[in-house]
Amino acid sequence: MSFHDQNILPAVRNMKQFDTFLDSPFSYGVLLDIHLGQLGGVISAARSHGKKMFVHVDLIQGIKHDEYGAEFICQEMKPAGILSTRSSVIAKAKQKKVYAIQRMFLIDTSAMKKSIELVKKHRPDYIEVLPGVVPELIREVKEITGIPIFAGGFIRTEKDVEQALAAGASAVTTSDTDLWKKYWN
């Protein structure tokens, strides 16, 4: 099952990619690596094109990456959702009624166990699993948590996308614009 009929969630790292996203058929995208001073204008431009943006709070320059920063972004910028590795940010996103997406780095068994405990406590709307090229872990996290999965990180080919989706990911986050174009409807 895809996320709002999207198998790909374009991850935007720069303004050139943002322009490509605006011209795409995708409704939802993810903002990465942006300065706080640009954030409001970028979200406003997306909105004027009928697009909805998720903001990766941990990667915004110029604001602290905590629940207060998330609250400011939710109140002032009104994104469709918030991504973060931090549980307090996820809790704030849920409180503000935007999509809460917990980013989970699966570097070893201990990290996975600790991340799953946090996810079970805060119950985000989605989990972004990194790296997204390990289908067994996508399947396992989804089964253990019961929460829909986005797969991201090291997604380089259509095969990577298809394997992640086949393992149960609702969508794949990628900043590879060539992959975006392969999934334009």
Side-chain angles (χ1 to χ4, degrees):
M1 184 165 99
S2 64
F3 176 80
H4 293 272
D5 296 322
Q6 287 184 223
N7 288 331
I8 295 288
L9 279 171
V12 175
R13 291 193 174 278
N14 56 52
M15 293 311 292
K16 184 177 178 182
Q17 283 186 327
F18 182 66
D19 289 339
T20 301
F21 171 68
L22 291 181
D23 291 335
S24 80
F26 299 113
S27 298
Y28 286 85
V30 180
L31 284 173
L32 308 171
D33 302 323
I34 192 164
H35 187 279
L36 180 61
Q38 297 174 307
L39 185 59
V42 168
I43 290 177
S44 179
R47 200 172 283 125
S48 72
H49 283 80
K51 310 289 185 180
K52 299 174 182 120
M53 302 305 299
F54 297 139
V55 176
H56 194 312
V57 173
D58 302 354
L59 299 178
I60 297 174
Q61 301 160 29
I63 194 167
K64 192 168 180 184
H65 311 139
D66 63 9
E67 65 270 24
Y68 303 108
E71 183 171 23
F72 173 80
I73 290 165
C74 288
Q75 288 177 338
E76 299 300 318
M77 311 297 174
K78 298 178 178 35
I82 297 284
L83 276 91
S84 181
T85 58
R86 301 168 192 268
S87 297
S88 62
V89 171
I90 296 306
K92 184 57 69 176
K94 289 186 70 75
Q95 179 188 6
K96 294 297 180 181
K97 309 262 190 267
V98 300
Y99 282 111
I101 304 152
Q102 178 90 43
R103 190 173 243 201
M104 181 185 290
F105 291 102
L106 301 179
I107 57 173
D108 60 23
T109 304
S110 178
M112 182 170 158
K113 183 178 177 182
K114 185 175 180 177
S115 293
I116 287 174
E117 288 172 10
L118 291 173
V119 161
K120 285 182 175 181
K121 182 178 179 184
H122 293 283
R123 303 295 303 168
D125 300 304
Y126 289 86
I127 301 167
E128 184 186 32
V129 171
L130 288 95
V133 290
V134 187
E136 297 82 20
L137 293 179
I138 293 168
R139 195 173 293 111
E140 187 175 342
V141 170
K142 185 176 179 185
E143 287 173 5
I144 291 170
T145 65
I147 296 171
I149 304 294
F150 296 150
F154 293 108
I155 304 290
R156 298 178 180 152
T157 66
E158 285 181 81
K159 181 180 177 186
D160 294 337
V161 172
E162 295 305 321
Q163 287 180 334
L165 295 171
S170 297
V172 172
T173 59
T174 180
S175 58
D176 184 330
T177 54
D178 290 334
L179 278 177
W180 300 359
K181 292 174 183 175
K182 291 178 181 180
Y183 288 85
W184 285 9
N185 296 328

